Structure formats: C-alpha cells, structure tokens
Amino acid sequence: MIKIKRTILVTAILISALSCVNKKAGVSVASSEKASSAVLKLPFKMPEVQIPKFKTDTLNIIDFGAVPNTEELCTKAINEAIAKCSESGGGVVVIPSGLWTTGPIKMKSNVNLHTKNGAYISFTSDLSQYKLIESYFEGNKVIRCESPIMGIDLENIAITGEGIFDGNGSQWRPVKIGKMTSNQWDELVKSGGVLSKDGKIWYPSKGAYIGNEERDKLPKIQTIANMEPFKESLRPVMVSFVNCKKLLLDGVTFQNSPAWNVNPLMCEHLTLRNLTIRNPWYSQNGDGLDIESCRIGTVTNCRFDVGDDAICIKSGKDKEGRERAKPTELFVITDCVVYHAHGGFVIGSEMSGGVRNIFVKNLTFNGTDCGLRFKSVRGRGGVVENIWMEDIRMNNIPTDAINFNLYYFGKSLSEDKLTGEVTVDKVLVSEETPVFKNMHFKNIYVNGAAQALKIMGIPEMPVENIQFQNMIIRSDVGIQMNYARKIDFKNIDLRLDKPGIAVSFSNSQNINIESIKAKGENQMFWVGGATTKDISLKTDGKKMVLDKDVKVLESIKDEVKLIE
C-alpha cells in the first residue's frame, strides 16, 4: 500500500516541479552576472564572482552502462563518467531524459553534470549504499552518512540543466504527529517504522529511533565503526560541497532531502540561479539552502517550498564555529520566491563565525511562516553586521513579518500580553555573546501578518543600529522591541487588523521614529523599561497626547520627546 502511495506522490511532485522549473539549461555567459551586479549599486565592494568554465567534451552516462526507467542502480556508471571526464581535463557529463536510480553521486573538479529535460534522478532507499563518513551538520564536525550529492576540495564544478534530483527523504526523516492530519498519520504508522515512547514521533526504522530517542545507548566516543548500527539516524544533507571553489548550480530541481537540502560549506565563488528547491512542509530539518562559512557569491531567481528555513545564512556553531573563524560574507541574493518555509530569509542560529556584507533584494514570501528571521542565543558568539534588505514583499505570513530572536533554543521568556515587554537579567559580555548590528531594511511591503516587527535583544548586547525605511505593513499586532539600541524608523505605515498598541518598546535606547502613521490601533505608542532613554517620536499629521496616544512609564517620561 505504501509503495503505491509513494509512487503517486513522486508522480505528483514530478509534474509540479516540471511545471515551475525554469527552462534554462547548460552554462550561462558570465557577462549577464556582471551586468546584474552593476545595476544593483551595491553598498559594499563586491569582488567579481568567478563562474566555472568547461571544455565542450561531452560524456553520456548511458555509454558507461546506466540503464533508465528501472530500479537498477546507476551509481557506478554516473561516478565513472564523472571521474573519466575530470581525468581527461574536464567537460560535460550528460544525464539524459528518463528515470534514473542511483546511490551517492561524487562530483569531481572541472565537471559540469548536465541534466536534460525529463531527467529524474531518484536516490536509492537502500541506506546501505550511503557509507558513514566524517562530515558536518549544523555547524559542527560529526559522523554522518554520505550525501546523495557531494564534493570536497574541488574547483570549477557545476550541476545544470532541467533535471530533478530527489533525495528520497521519507526513508530517513522522522515525522511529528502534529504536522499531519489524523488520516495521514494513521496511514504513515501502518506503513511500518517505529513510534516514539509518547507516540508523537514516527521513525522510519529502529536505528533511527534509537539514535534519537535512546541516546544513552550511543557510544560515548563515536567512531565510524561503532556508529554503524545507528546510521539510519545520521541523516545527511542532500547536496554537500565542502571547501570548493567556483561552483555553479543552475536550472535544476533539488527536492525531498534527508535533512538540509543544499549546503555549501567553506566554499568560494558560488553562483546559484534558476533553482527549484522543495521539501514536504512537514519535513524535519527540511531547510532549503544553507550557505555556511562561504565567501563571494550570488543567489538569483530561485524558488523555495520547504519544511524549515528557506534561504539560510550560517557560519558555524558555538566554540567550533568561533575557532573556525570563517564568516559568510560578500553575497548578493535577488529575485527569489519563497512559499512554505519557517523563515523566508534567515541569518542564524549557527552564526558563530560571523556574517557580513550581505545584500538582499526583490524577494517574495507567500504564506511563509516568518518573513525575515534573525536568530541566535547566548553561547553562540559571532557578529552579524552590514546587512542590506530592500524591496521585500510578503503575503499571508502566519507569524512575524520581521523577527529578531536572541533567545532561540534558550530559556522561554515571560512577556506582557498587552505590551510585549520582557525583563531579562544582564550577564557579562564575552566571546560567547552574539552581536547583531548595522542592518538596513528598505521598501518592505506586507499584506497580512500576525505581527509586523518583533525584536528580542539581550540586555548586555542589544540589537543595534537598525534602520527601517518605507514600510507598509498590514498585521494583527504592530511593532514590539525589547533591548534594542540606535533604531531609526522613517516612513512607516501600519495597518492593524486588531485593535491594540501600534508601537511598543522597552529597555531600549536612542530610538528615533521620524514619520509613522497607523490605522486600526487604539493606542499609538507604549514606552516602558527602566533602562529606556533618548526616545524621539513623530507621527504624520496626528497630534499626540501624552498618557492617551502615548503611554510612558513614569520614571522615564523625561526621556521621551514628542515631535509635532
């Protein structure tokens, strides 16, 4: 029964993906990238992104014994063609139209793996094909299974065309009961697998269950040999490139990954364009694109519909990330669309190596859980700075249009239900203190969100020097800020669907609201917090009355200026 259902699902995914994938194939001319960068007028000096070039020599996987439209593995044929191409000085390896079943594909330098229209590459459900290796996940060195597509220490590589790569993620991923209807859950349980002790999580195998639910049974000092019995729990990212230079991904679809979908790590000169990246909405760790500790690149005209964050910028986790000291920097991300995802554009929470000089423009989020998402926690360390975001459109956002959360995975906070105020004890600043500063938001348009903007900084290191300009936001709740400093608002239009406070902030300093208007609120401003000071408030065409339109904590009234 389950095999039939999975076949139907694969067919549906195939039809859907083919309908939306861009019809570009092969390697594009580098001059178009130069023209695009020139038009943008970037606020920082951006090196020219080096795009790989390839010889015209072409090899076809059929000539190496690959057989389409069967369950016969093509692993050997594909990898032999790639190796032969690389050894001969490089060129193009073609995967023709057809259904191809394969184990891990191992890329080599100077090879363009080109997929024809109608090529559907399905990675095998036989998990014995994926060896345990020393790898990375969520910013740290770990033992994981081989990725379906992988490359280490390579240069001048590409995956192009109109084909679809399917990671067969349902063979790897756990599923939470809350993310399915009762009928879907019942069918999943009937298909096999193992339930957690509380019956709320389904695991595809006993090994996956033990590796997640009975961690005390895992070896204290883990090796590839002693972790073999638990390999089903060691889910790989689908597309893994580590320490590579001049990488091009163009036109293809990556979908249904075991964990994160596309994850370049410690790479330089990346060109990612015209991609469709998809995962089931319920997929655990089902991120779309995780750019981690990489330098110099572009992400252009991509489509995301995933189970976790969509476009993620990361740089390692905690002490290991700080010691690696490789920030993600010098990226331009433009013209992308995100459908379902936890966050549309995200920085963190693994940002311990730093993130800087990122320019984001012309993104659309449709039904994405949260729009622009910035997250970390005490212990990470790292500095996120010099981030520009402009021309961002959002529709039907279930939570926050813009969110800063410096308590991710940390202690839950007690918030005032009316004002959103929180009070947190200050700790000493150290290398473990995360820093978010120097960020610019311009031309942000939101048609429906639960909340317009929420900033949850930490008292020892407030979110600092953030500029918001030209924003029109329709939401239930307006703007709430805690532990923020040097925040400027200019030309803000809030349209609240539920009566409440338009703008509230506490324990914040140097807040300047130059021009703001609101509709639907029953109170314009609330200002609280014992450490709040230097507040300047100006509305468009509305005279404000203290204690009516503006309510201020008595002890800090002298810190608030109302400007006509």
Side-chain angles (χ1 to χ4, degrees):
M1 180 64 179
I2 193 68
K3 290 183 179 179
I4 295 174
K5 293 189 69 175
R6 285 177 180 167
T7 301
I8 293 172
L9 178 61
V10 167
T11 303
I13 292 172
L14 174 59
I15 293 171
S16 174
L18 286 174
S19 66
C20 63
V21 72
N22 286 286
K23 303 305 179 183
K24 291 180 67 178
V27 185
S28 300
V29 181
S31 60
S32 63
E33 297 288 330
K34 295 179 183 178
S36 177
S37 298
V39 171
L40 288 177
K41 297 180 180 179
L42 300 176
F44 50 84
K45 188 175 181 180
M46 177 74 177
E48 181 181 337
V49 181
Q50 298 175 22
I51 301 177
K53 298 178 181 179
F54 304 94
K55 294 170 60 178
T56 57
D57 297 359
T58 301
L59 301 177
N60 192 312
I61 64 170
I62 291 177
D63 296 330
F64 289 79
V67 179
N69 308 317
T70 71
E71 294 184 1
E72 181 178 338
L73 291 180
C74 301
T75 316
K76 185 173 182 290
I78 294 173
N79 287 325
E80 283 186 354
I82 290 172
K84 178 69 173 179
C85 182
S86 179
E87 291 166 3
S88 303
V92 181
V93 171
V94 172
I95 299 181
S97 300
L99 175 62
W100 309 90
T101 305
T102 182
I105 294 175
K106 300 179 180 180
M107 293 295 294
K108 300 290 185 181
S109 294
N110 300 312
V111 174
N112 173 14
L113 183 63
H114 182 72
T115 59
K116 293 294 186 180
N117 187 357
Y120 190 99
I121 300 94
S122 177
F123 289 96
T124 179
S125 61
D126 177 7
L127 303 192
S128 68
Q129 297 295 317
Y130 304 87
K131 298 178 182 179
L132 286 180
I133 60 172
E134 292 182 356
S135 184
Y136 297 86
F137 188 61
E138 293 186 334
N140 291 332
K141 291 182 179 179
V142 292
I143 294 173
R144 308 288 286 189
C145 289
E146 290 178 309
S147 292
I149 301 173
M150 58 191 300
I152 302 174
D153 299 331
L154 306 181
E155 186 167 350
N156 205 58
I157 46 177
I159 301 175
T160 64
E162 300 174 66
I164 298 172
F165 293 89
D166 190 303
N168 214 341
S170 62
Q171 299 295 325
W172 297 87
R173 294 188 305 263
V175 180
K176 296 180 179 179
I177 189 172
K179 294 191 174 184
M180 287 190 156
T181 65
S182 58
N183 287 338
Q184 289 172 330
W185 179 255
D186 289 343
E187 289 297 319
L188 181 64
V189 172
K190 290 177 183 177
S191 72
V194 182
L195 288 179
S196 60
K197 292 179 181 179
D198 61 7
K200 294 183 178 180
I201 302 177
W202 174 89
Y203 293 97
S205 68
K206 182 67 174 178
Y209 169 86
I210 295 174
N212 288 278
E213 296 284 332
E214 299 181 356
R215 293 181 178 272
D216 58 315
K217 294 184 179 180
L218 299 179
K220 293 183 179 180
I221 300 177
Q222 298 180 0
T223 66
I224 290 175
N226 66 26
M227 287 300 290
E228 185 68 30
F230 315 104
K231 67 179 296 183
E232 294 93 337
S233 67
L234 304 176
R235 297 177 287 141
V237 301
M238 180 172 167
V239 183
S240 174
F241 288 101
V242 180
N243 197 34
C244 296
K245 295 183 179 180
K246 291 195 289 184
L247 167 65
L248 170 67
L249 303 178
D250 187 1
V252 298
T253 295
F254 297 112
Q255 66 180 32
N256 199 15
S257 58
W260 293 353
N261 202 314
V262 179
N263 179 210
L265 169 64
M266 296 184 289
C267 295
E268 294 188 4
H269 294 283
L270 290 78
T271 303
L272 313 181
R273 61 193 181 200
N274 310 317
L275 301 175
T276 298
I277 296 180
R278 308 173 69 243
N279 275 333
W281 72 271
Y282 54 82
S283 55
Q284 190 78 4
N285 306 114
D287 290 20
L289 171 64
D290 293 275
I291 300 173
E292 189 173 6
S293 295
C294 294
R295 298 185 70 250
I296 310 171
T298 60
V299 180
T300 310
N301 193 35
C302 296
R303 301 292 182 266
F304 300 85
D305 193 341
V306 296
D308 209 314
D309 291 330
I311 306 170
C312 316
I313 307 298
K314 301 178 180 290
S315 63
K317 184 177 180 180
D318 299 341
K319 182 180 180 181
E320 188 171 324
R322 295 193 298 270
E323 290 179 348
R324 183 192 298 160
K326 288 184 177 292
T328 292
E329 59 183 340
L330 300 169
F331 270 84
V332 176
I333 299 169
T334 60
D335 306 322
C336 294
V337 176
V338 178
Y339 297 96
H340 184 271
H342 287 181
F345 173 80
V346 182
I347 297 180
S349 67
E350 302 90 3
M351 39 62 71
S352 302
V355 177
R356 61 196 181 203
N357 293 334
I358 308 291
F359 183 80
V360 181
K361 182 180 177 68
N362 195 30
L363 303 189
T364 300
F365 307 143
N366 187 17
T368 309
D369 288 349
C370 179
L372 301 170
R373 189 182 189 196
F374 310 94
K375 53 184 179 177
S376 188
V377 69
R378 287 166 169 163
R380 289 281 191 266
V383 179
V384 174
E385 61 181 341
N386 303 336
I387 314 295
W388 284 264
M389 283 152 286
E390 61 182 55
D391 299 332
I392 311 295
R393 297 164 298 277
M394 309 184 203
N395 181 61
N396 190 25
I397 304 300
T399 63
D400 305 335
I402 305 173
N403 177 277
F404 287 79
N405 182 6
L406 276 295
Y407 301 91
Y408 190 69
F409 283 140
K411 180 180 178 182
S412 60
L413 303 176
S414 178
E415 300 180 48
D416 185 288
K417 292 183 179 180
L418 180 64
T419 65
E421 181 181 20
V422 300
T423 302
V424 181
D425 292 335
K426 183 185 290 188
V427 302
L428 292 176
V429 174
S430 71
E431 65 175 8
E432 297 183 355
T433 305
V435 179
F436 283 71
K437 64 180 181 179
N438 303 340
M439 302 174 69
H440 313 266
F441 299 78
K442 182 179 179 182
N443 303 336
I444 311 295
Y445 308 107
V446 181
N447 180 32
Q451 182 156 6
L453 166 65
K454 189 170 188 176
I455 296 178
M456 300 287 285
I458 49 179
E460 67 271 18
M461 189 62 67
V463 174
E464 182 176 13
N465 193 26
I466 314 294
Q467 299 174 6
F468 299 96
Q469 181 177 359
N470 301 339
M471 303 200 313
I472 301 175
I473 301 179
R474 182 175 67 81
S475 60
D476 294 340
V477 178
I479 296 171
Q480 294 177 344
M481 297 187 295
N482 293 278
Y483 300 108
R485 182 168 58 205
K486 296 182 181 178
I487 313 295
D488 292 333
F489 293 89
K490 184 177 182 181
N491 296 330
I492 310 300
D493 185 345
L494 293 177
R495 304 171 186 183
L496 303 187
D497 289 337
K498 295 181 179 179
I501 303 170
V503 181
S504 64
F505 41 84
S506 66
N507 296 304
S508 299
Q509 302 83 40
N510 304 107
I511 309 298
N512 178 43
I513 299 181
E514 184 174 332
S515 54
I516 186 172
K517 60 183 179 180
K519 182 179 180 181
E521 86 289 358
N522 56 18
Q523 183 180 323
M524 193 66 188
F525 295 105
W526 179 90
V527 185
T531 63
T532 293
K533 64 180 181 179
D534 195 10
I535 308 298
S536 175
L537 308 176
K538 178 183 179 182
T539 61
D540 287 343
K542 181 178 180 179
K543 185 176 181 179
M544 293 180 292
V545 179
L546 196 64
D547 295 327
K548 181 183 177 183
D549 301 302
V550 183
K551 293 187 177 181
V552 182
L553 186 69
E554 186 67 29
S555 62
I556 59 171
K557 279 191 173 181
D558 291 343
E559 297 292 340
V560 179
K561 296 179 182 178
L562 305 182
I563 300 175
E564 299 291 336

